[in-house]
Amino acid sequence: MALIVQKFGGTSVANPDKIKAVAERVLKGHRAGNRMVVVLSAMAGETNRFVDLAQQMQNIPDPREMDVLLATGEQVTISLFAMAVKEMGFEAVSLLGDQVRIHTDKMHTRARITAIDSELINRHLEQGKVVVVAGFQGVTEDGDITTLGRGGSDTTAVALAAALKADQCDIFTDVDGVYTTDPNICTSARKVDRISYEEMLELASLGAKVLDIRSVSIAKRYKVPVHVRSTFTETEGTWVVEEDKAMEANPVSGVTYNRNEARITVSKLSDTPGIASRLFTPVAKEGIVVDMIIQNTRDGNLTDLTFTVPKPDYKRAMKIIEKTAAEIGAEGVTGSENICKVSIVGVGMRNHPGIATTMFDVLAREGINIEMISTSEIKISCVIDEKYTELAVRSLHDAFGLQNQ
């Protein structure tokens, strides 16, 4: 008898009929003798509706009160799901994040899980019930409701699977697995049967939207097998698991892109110790994440520094950098929001030379200029002009033969 955690996203529970269909799907596992824990998101569109309501009340909604509001979306779906299961003749119980005691820090609207008390869930499972838990939410040590930010239900599900020592965690969504690239851009994109935690972490961090990066990190740390699959079909999806030798046979497992970044360049900085720290400290204090950083040395003990930030933070970051650059005597600050980061990922890169050269050759052949480059052991990322995004993705996907693997 397996213990299975299943998560269903907003499109899967968008209306009462879909909630009933999800209940039927979960009960298949329950009838087979498995212990079932279900994590649900709010109905599709509800979170956005709550955000609009909040902004009608307050220009910048108070984060604590925002969490109280946002958490109601999942309360609706879990209660309706429990009713559906009971109507079908089985026992179910719905639990909010503060009832389960999903402990988080105090960062409202983007809290992080610190611990989970599994006692209440185990007690209900022992009584033969289907347990349904509100995704996306938790509680502070002071009893305040918190939410985990976009993608938080994935994180809730995997964290619960880790805490309960579940046999697997199924993430049901509106796609049927992880693809070699975005099928909307490249029609030859192919679904991957198995992918390593490391590869999935890189893909999630580089723009792939199938899984929240925090959920993958937890899965990797606690070795939780994650199965990404579609709510609307019975076909096998993609397993996110520990790396094996077969995964190393192909140097590249996926191509991804991220249009949600902007580039900032600070020109003619003094090339002396402490300058980079003075430049980036004010940005960090504002909670702005800096991603790629490139430094180009000039003559005369000067340097140029180029880096990327999330596009929503671009204007705020520019204002901070312009002020700091003037204080430290830099010549000027320029930037662009019209960029895209295109990346290739694969654990096989460790053992296959020439991957970077192939990537650069492909982009050069298509007349695509590379503005920035960053690498890790299993990924290569290039910043390019946004208008070339689709061409770059398709060309790289074909060049590495991902449609045929």
Side-chain angles (χ1 to χ4, degrees):
M1 183 169 64
L3 172 53
I4 300 173
V5 176
Q6 295 188 329
K7 176 262 177 180
F8 294 85
T11 55
S12 303
V13 291
N15 55 52
D17 286 340
K18 287 187 175 181
I19 292 173
K20 291 176 184 177
V22 167
E24 282 283 8
R25 183 155 200 161
V26 170
L27 286 174
K28 286 182 183 178
H30 183 70
R31 292 188 190 101
N34 298 311
R35 293 176 293 160
M36 305 298 294
V37 177
V38 185
V39 175
L40 299 182
S41 300
M43 293 180 179
E46 281 296 275
T47 300
N48 290 337
R49 185 172 73 87
F50 293 147
V51 171
D52 289 342
L53 286 171
Q55 289 173 343
Q56 292 177 45
M57 300 296 109
Q58 196 177 12
N59 285 334
I60 303 176
D62 178 82
R64 181 190 181 278
E65 303 311 325
M66 196 70 185
D67 276 352
V68 174
L69 173 63
L70 294 177
T72 62
E74 284 71 26
Q75 185 168 351
V76 172
T77 50
I78 63 171
S79 59
L80 292 176
F81 175 90
M83 292 176 195
V85 170
K86 290 176 181 181
E87 181 66 16
M88 294 170 187
F90 295 87
E91 284 300 310
V93 59
S94 62
L95 298 172
L96 298 170
D98 60 326
Q99 292 175 300
V100 176
R101 305 307 289 180
I102 298 175
H103 301 274
T104 73
D105 60 22
K106 299 179 181 181
M107 294 296 290
H108 286 286
T109 72
R110 50 194 174 97
R112 291 189 171 274
I113 296 173
T114 57
I116 294 179
D117 186 346
S118 58
E119 181 183 351
L120 182 59
I121 293 177
N122 280 323
R123 195 187 317 153
H124 285 300
L125 288 173
E126 287 169 5
Q127 294 169 4
K129 297 176 184 176
V130 174
V131 179
V132 54
V133 179
F136 177 66
Q137 62 183 248
V139 63
T140 70
E141 60 184 13
D142 299 326
D144 281 343
I145 294 171
T146 55
T147 62
L148 309 180
R150 296 284 182 177
S153 292
D154 288 355
T155 305
T156 301
V158 177
L160 279 172
L164 294 165
K165 295 181 171 55
D167 295 282
Q168 69 185 63
C169 180
D170 298 332
I171 303 291
F172 286 92
T173 181
D174 53 359
V175 297
D176 58 354
V178 179
Y179 277 72
T180 49
T181 195
D182 184 350
N184 295 314
I185 284 183
C186 186
T187 56
S188 62
R190 178 183 52 81
K191 186 176 71 177
V192 179
D193 295 329
R194 291 164 63 84
I195 192 168
S196 71
Y197 295 125
E198 282 188 85
E199 289 172 316
M200 195 66 240
L201 271 173
E202 291 284 11
L203 290 171
S205 70
L206 295 168
K209 298 176 177 63
V210 179
L211 278 176
D212 180 69
I213 188 169
R214 294 167 298 171
S215 68
V216 185
S217 180
I218 293 169
K220 180 177 184 291
R221 188 183 317 149
Y222 295 100
K223 296 181 172 55
V224 177
V226 176
H227 189 194
V228 182
R229 59 191 311 191
S230 171
T231 308
F232 310 111
T233 69
E234 294 291 337
T235 57
E236 189 90 351
T238 299
W239 283 94
V240 186
V241 292
E242 290 189 89
E243 180 184 335
D244 59 43
K245 288 185 178 180
M247 295 175 184
E248 297 179 7
N250 300 311
V252 176
S253 58
V255 180
T256 189
Y257 64 95
N258 186 359
R259 288 189 172 110
N260 197 38
E261 295 200 18
R263 172 180 50 76
I264 297 174
T265 298
V266 184
S267 302
K268 293 187 178 180
L269 280 161
S270 173
D271 192 8
T272 54
I275 287 294
S277 175
R278 288 189 62 186
L279 189 69
F280 289 120
T281 295
V283 177
K285 285 181 178 178
E286 287 297 314
I288 298 173
V289 176
V290 174
D291 183 17
M292 300 171 71
I293 303 174
I294 291 179
Q295 184 169 330
N296 297 317
T297 303
R298 288 172 172 257
D299 292 335
N301 204 35
L302 295 174
T303 189
D304 296 339
L305 224 160
T306 302
F307 58 95
T308 60
V309 296
K311 194 172 287 188
D313 295 326
Y314 172 67
K315 291 179 180 177
R316 192 158 55 102
M318 280 291 284
K319 187 175 180 180
I320 296 167
I321 291 296
E322 286 171 345
K323 180 177 182 294
T324 308
E327 291 172 356
I328 60 180
E331 182 179 273
V333 179
T334 58
S336 173
E337 294 181 88
N338 301 317
I339 65 166
C340 176
K341 181 167 66 178
V342 177
S343 308
I344 58 173
V345 174
V347 292
M349 286 187 194
R350 298 185 183 119
N351 304 315
H352 289 77
I355 302 303
T357 301
T358 301
M359 183 179 191
F360 303 153
D361 284 347
V362 168
L363 296 178
R365 257 195 327 268
E366 299 295 343
I368 301 172
N369 185 50
I370 300 171
E371 299 181 19
M372 302 174 71
I373 301 167
S374 73
T375 66
S376 76
E377 193 177 29
I378 65 167
K379 77 104 192 296
I380 304 168
S381 297
C382 294
V383 170
I384 62 173
D385 191 308
E386 186 179 22
K387 67 184 179 183
Y388 294 117
T389 301
E390 296 187 8
L391 175 60
V393 169
R394 285 194 294 266
S395 300
L396 291 168
H397 191 268
D398 291 346
F400 287 103
L402 294 177
Q403 69 275 20
N404 300 318
Q405 290 178 9

